[in-house]
Amino acid sequence: MKKSILSTWLLLLSISLLLAYCKGKNQESANAINSIENLRRGDIVLCGPDQRQLGKTDFSFSCSEKSRDTFNMGLALLHSFEYSEAEKAFVKVLENDPDCAMAYWGIAMANFHPLWAAPNKEELQKGAKASAIALKLKGSNKREQAYIEAIHTFFNGHEELKHAARAKQYEQAMEKIYLEYPDDKEAAILYTLALDATADPADKTYTNQKKAGAILNKLYPGRPDHPGVVHYIIHNYDYPELAPLGLEAARKYASVAPSSAHALHMPSHIFTRMGLWDESIQSNLASAAAAKCYAEALGANAHNDQELHAMDYLVYAYLQTGQEQKAKEQIDYLRSMKSMFPEGQTSTYAIAAMPARYVLELRNWKEAATLDTTTTLFDMDKYPWSKAIIHFTRVLGAVHTRDIAAARKDLSSLQNQHARLVKSGDDYKANQVLIQVKMADAWIQFAEGDKEKALAGMQAAADLEEKTGKHPVTPGEVIPARELLGDMLLAAGKNEAAQEAFQANLKRTPNRKNSLSGASIAASRSGAVAIHRP
């Protein structure tokens, strides 16, 4: 009897201790997730012609089986750069499985966005915290732990190390996983994204991009519906010389993930590179509509950055097809906007570039000279690259309306934006603004009569621009340097050289309206035959 009572007592004690342990463990898990500030939670919001269609991902997953579909949705959202909704998906995984280390990995990945602007302070803190928790929990196997350690290398030490150095560390860590686990297709796909993110903009042999493209092309036949495969093929071939290699993926991606505004837009990167304007227009109309729907579904009372991104590409394509009124409608719509989210390089670049493109493409120099350097949508002073676009446009407008004093004033402001970017260590953007400084200075010299020096300056600007890749946030320069060189050569009466400049620009940017017309004018004046296609 006593033995029986003792056994019962020991059993009850064991259960009590187990319950106490589980309660403590659950509390510890709850404390872990609650320690991450500004975490996105709630229902996953999607818009598009076919909601909840994001492509097919199947990650080998060791956490709760009932969370598998949610985890894969989060992964698919990551691959289409729907970072806010991806974060929500990974939080939902944690609601079912609070100790799932890979869900914390997903949260960290949702705050990385390697091809966009570097994470802001809030995103860095969130990613660092999530990756640290994941590291403490540890993945359920060596492979998962390697994924966690890879993203931790990016966020760890962000206070001391620059973004580029940490992105390189992440790329190297992903390469190790790719090599160690050759059957892990997800590792290969994420590695190709890391390669593109760390590619040298000045490398015109496209070493990283070609390496990534080769990996993705091997994967594509067996995974044509994987959003990362088709998406990253497009990004890695988003260059004048490589664009035709991405056309098949471009025409595929929108059907793979029609619930993503970014997926609907992304094909237009290749369409723009190849001068396929009608396809670009259709792509971006669908994307802008989906992004607007997304913002409305969130109840944000603001415009999503993906809508603005698509609009910039729309304005560009409309202007190349002579649809100036439709381009103006986009500009007017932009000016009617009261707020946007999230604020960052994607949206701020588009807001500055759209009106600049419009006046420069139409050669509306009077309006260009007085283009507003402010906007109610964001503080322009926080974004020197975006602000530089406006000052550059104003210089060209002032020069062509013969107000050299105003042109010099805006040149000085342009030089200030360049100095700010140099000081910040943002070499790529500093270089982009330096090209604009050179062009602006050359046109002022030309207007003042020093034509040979001006032409030499424009030639140098065009050469520098062609050595530098474009940023993913833009469909192309607000006006290509080589095309502006052609304009200057025409104005100088050097018609044969002007035709060569326009034709050279058409090789980089096929079917650009002003280069086509410039080449025809130059050919007519020189008595040569105009060649309208590169």
Side-chain angles (χ1 to χ4, degrees), residues 110-131:
N111 286 275
F112 181 13
H113 39 76
L115 294 189
W116 291 0
N120 60 31
K121 183 178 179 180
E122 178 185 304
E123 291 164 335
L124 285 169
Q125 291 173 343
K126 197 188 303 186
K129 187 73 174 179
S131 64

Side-chain angles (χ1 to χ4, degrees), residues 487-522:
D487 286 347
M488 186 179 283
L489 287 163
L490 269 182
K494 298 179 181 291
N495 300 315
E496 290 184 7
Q499 187 182 10
E500 289 176 7
F502 289 124
Q503 292 295 344
N505 189 59
L506 285 167
K507 289 180 180 178
R508 291 184 72 245
T509 58
N511 297 334
R512 263 192 62 84
K513 186 170 181 285
N514 285 329
S515 283
L516 288 169
S517 62
S520 293
I521 292 168

